[in-house]
Amino acid sequence: MRATAIDRTVAQAEDEGIGDPILVLHGGMGDSTAWSRVTDRLRDRFRTVRLHRRQYRSDLPRPVSMADEVEHVAAIAGELERPVLVGHSSGAVLALEAMVADPGCYAGAVLYEPPVVIDAPLGGKRLVPARAALAEGRPGRALTIFLRDVVQLPPAAAIAGGVVGGHGHLRDRIVQQLDDSDAIDELGNRLGEYATLKLPMLLIGGDRSPRHLGERLDALERVLPQSRRLLMHGQGHNAERQAPDRLATAIASFMDGLEPDAERADRQAGS
């Protein structure tokens, strides 16, 4: 699927299946394939559309702000009929921003551990040594620093991630990941804006994820008026790879529980 955004850049997404639409916004260092194992399990009942996020495309000008990305989400959503947004990590922050920009375009959202700013910046000064490592031609070291100091993975896991990220073909993704973190920091604390969203939302977290991600979910749960929480036992921040069946089941259950627009309008008219 292709759709032209307001600034005339072209948004791109993978469009599969038939049924109520789900628009997936992948997390850091990903692309439109990142959630394919989950959408493969959904597309027999739902129309699944996986956006290739603007932040992670090398064919478009940089830098990329969250507002720029919202334009691409809106362009694809405009080709659908009030999709449910499924956002992972920074993609879940993007989902929140898209809903704030135009809540009427969306039917709700499933948000998997969005790293929203709640007090101190997400990356801030902690990204300085990561960018220095990139300037020195050490992308693996840069990713290790990001995973250790920003994502707050255990040191061994951060080092392992850095070894994988050290391959040359991933260098651009590492730069994009650091830019993604900066884009979230530029938003600042947006809990007040998110509190205005009167859309049904499912907040997903893993009991093996870094603690700060759970704290950010706590903050969101307190302000979102129509949210509920799902804790995935035995999972961390990448259940889309480790437990795609469980994520697909959670998303399908959320979709099945949505109130049809006509019923919601009748209820609100009578209240």
Side-chain angles (χ1 to χ4, degrees):
M1 175 185 288
R2 292 172 176 264
T4 303
I6 292 174
D7 67 355
R8 310 308 298 170
T9 58
V10 176
Q12 299 177 353
E14 298 296 324
D15 181 9
E16 301 171 317
I18 299 174
D20 292 335
I22 299 170
L23 176 52
V24 180
L25 312 178
H26 63 79
M29 294 192 66
D31 59 22
S32 60
T33 67
W35 272 61
S36 61
R37 295 182 65 192
V38 178
T39 56
D40 284 348
R41 292 157 169 81
L42 292 168
R43 63 187 181 184
D44 61 335
R45 292 188 55 208
F46 304 102
R47 183 180 181 183
T48 62
V49 180
R50 291 177 280 116
L51 180 70
H52 189 165
R53 284 179 52 197
R54 186 171 182 167
Q55 186 71 260
Y56 290 91
R57 286 173 54 185
S58 300
D59 60 326
L60 294 176
R62 306 191 68 79
V64 178
S65 68
M66 274 288 171
D68 295 331
E69 290 214 84
V70 165
E71 290 184 5
H72 275 209
V73 176
I76 295 295
E79 302 296 316
L80 307 171
E81 186 175 347
R82 296 189 72 240
V84 165
L85 293 174
V86 173
H88 176 214
S89 195
S90 59
V93 179
L94 174 57
L96 286 162
E97 289 298 311
M99 289 185 287
V100 167
D102 196 347
C105 283
Y106 309 99
V110 177
L111 306 176
Y112 180 10
E113 295 184 335
V116 294
V117 174
I118 57 176
D119 42 45
L122 178 66
K125 294 180 179 179
R126 287 175 291 186
L127 286 186
V128 172
R131 292 198 180 279
L134 273 179
E136 295 168 0
R138 302 171 65 193
R141 175 61 179 164
L143 184 58
T144 295
I145 293 169
F146 174 80
L147 294 175
R148 183 194 65 205
D149 297 345
V150 179
V151 181
Q152 298 181 29
L153 291 181
I159 292 171
V163 170
V164 174
H167 297 289
H169 70 283
L170 290 178
R171 180 188 172 88
D172 286 347
R173 289 282 175 87
I174 296 169
V175 173
Q176 292 158 353
Q177 173 67 87
L178 301 187
D179 289 350
D180 200 4
S181 181
D182 283 343
I184 292 173
D185 281 340
E186 287 171 7
L187 293 173
N189 187 323
R190 298 269 289 169
L191 293 177
E193 286 76 9
Y194 302 153
T196 67
L197 294 172
K198 298 179 180 179
L199 293 168
M201 299 193 207
L202 175 63
L203 307 179
I204 297 179
D207 65 358
R208 293 186 178 178
S209 293
R211 179 180 297 178
H212 74 98
L213 292 174
E215 293 169 349
R216 297 173 200 278
L217 274 181
D218 291 341
L220 273 175
E221 187 176 20
R222 286 192 291 268
V223 302
L224 292 173
Q226 295 190 46
S227 67
R228 60 186 179 87
R229 188 85 165 260
L230 172 64
L231 181 65
M232 296 188 69
H233 296 284
Q235 295 300 317
H237 194 53
N238 293 110
E240 81 285 359
R241 295 200 304 263
Q242 304 298 325
D245 283 318
R246 292 171 64 184
L247 269 183
T249 297
I251 294 167
S253 178
F254 176 80
M255 296 288 293
D256 290 339
L258 289 178
E259 187 177 18
D261 288 344
E263 291 182 16
R264 185 182 304 111
D266 290 344
R267 175 174 55 80
Q268 291 175 343
S271 61

